[in-house]
Amino acid sequence: MASISRVKERAEEQSSAMSSDQQAAIRMLANDLHRLNQSVMKAVDAGVSVELVRSARHHGGDGNWGDLLIPVVVTQPGHN
């Protein structure tokens, strides 16, 4: 759980050399990742396994890229 709570702090540390627009985008990403992690934990607590898998890679055209994810959800028989 400690690593989840540090997502925002790590993103801020890594963004110190970025423009204000880049920093705002990273803050938004960190917040969204925190919410995603909370949702994954809720799903696991509800009785499913969740794996995030890269479905594609977005290329910005200037050498930057980012992974796009989809969830793979697995339930165990008899655990509905």
Side-chain angles (χ1 to χ4, degrees):
M1 186 86 126
S3 64
I4 293 171
S5 64
R6 290 240 335 119
V7 169
K8 184 177 178 181
E9 290 84 359
R10 284 195 315 265
E12 288 174 355
E13 290 167 6
Q14 294 171 350
S15 69
S16 61
M18 297 179 188
S19 72
S20 60
D21 286 345
Q22 290 170 329
Q23 289 178 7
I26 293 302
R27 276 193 301 277
M28 182 189 304
L29 178 62
N31 289 334
D32 290 345
L33 285 172
H34 179 70
R35 283 193 294 277
L36 174 62
N37 286 332
Q38 289 178 321
S39 295
V40 168
M41 289 187 293
K42 284 182 183 179
V44 170
D45 291 344
V48 297
S49 296
V50 179
E51 179 181 5
L52 300 176
V53 177
R54 182 177 71 200
S55 62
R57 183 165 276 171
H58 174 75
H59 292 272
D62 56 359
N64 299 315
W65 54 268
D67 290 339
L68 306 180
L69 305 174
I70 59 168
V72 175
V73 179
V74 179
T75 58
Q76 296 180 8
H79 290 92
N80 313 30

